[in-house]
Amino acid sequence: MIGINKIIYEYNNKLLIINVGKKCSVIYNNINYDVDSKIVWSYLQSFTDIIFNWKDKYIDNTLLDSSKWRVVIDYIDFRKEYIGKGDYPNNFNKLEDINLMLINEVIK
C-alpha cells in the first residue's frame, strides 16, 4: 500500500479515481469528494488483498461485444495496469463490492 498515489478504475463507462496522499480524494461521476484518509487506507487494505494474485490481462476473444474494464495503480515510481475484456479474475465481484462501499461512504 505504501507508495500508491492513485487508483483508476474503469468499467462499462464508469470511472472511479482514488487519490492517495496527505489529502485523499475520490472522483466519481466527475465530482471530486474529499475523503478522510482512514476511509482510503481501509479501502486500500481490501483492494491490495483482492488484486494480489491477479494476472495482467483477462481477455476472452471469443466474445464479439463484451464488457471492458481496467484498473490502473500509480505508484511513486511506476504504473501497474490490469485489463479485461469479457473475462475477469475470480474475485472481481469483491472489487466491485468495495468500490460500491467506498462510493456510498463518500457521497452520503
Side-chain angles (χ1 to χ4, degrees):
M1 289 183 307
I2 301 299
I4 295 177
N5 288 331
K6 181 186 293 186
I7 297 171
I8 302 167
Y9 172 74
E10 295 176 278
Y11 182 54
N12 287 340
N13 296 320
K14 292 186 292 185
L15 178 63
L16 173 65
I17 300 172
I18 301 148
N19 294 301
V20 181
K22 290 182 181 177
K23 185 175 180 184
C24 297
S25 67
V26 170
I27 300 170
Y28 181 68
N29 286 337
N30 293 321
I31 301 172
N32 190 8
Y33 300 91
D34 290 333
V35 181
D36 186 299
S37 62
K38 291 177 186 175
I39 294 170
V40 172
W41 283 107
S42 176
Y43 172 88
L44 289 176
Q45 288 175 327
S46 297
F47 175 83
T48 54
D49 288 345
I50 290 168
I51 67 161
F52 181 71
N53 287 317
W54 281 15
K55 301 181 294 186
D56 292 344
K57 294 181 182 179
Y58 292 83
I59 307 292
D60 183 347
N61 289 320
T62 63
L63 301 173
L64 296 176
D65 188 23
S66 58
S67 298
K68 295 179 184 177
W69 60 271
R70 179 172 85 122
V71 174
V72 178
I73 307 166
D74 283 339
Y75 292 91
I76 292 171
D77 53 359
F78 70 99
R79 175 177 266 204
K80 177 71 177 163
E81 185 171 18
Y82 302 94
I83 61 169
K85 180 179 179 254
D87 193 18
Y88 307 87
N90 62 356
N91 62 352
F92 189 80
N93 61 324
K94 290 182 180 179
L95 178 62
E96 285 280 282
D97 290 345
I98 66 165
N99 285 344
L100 184 59
M101 284 190 296
L102 177 65
I103 291 165
N104 287 335
E105 180 72 25
V106 166
I107 63 175
K108 66 178 180 179

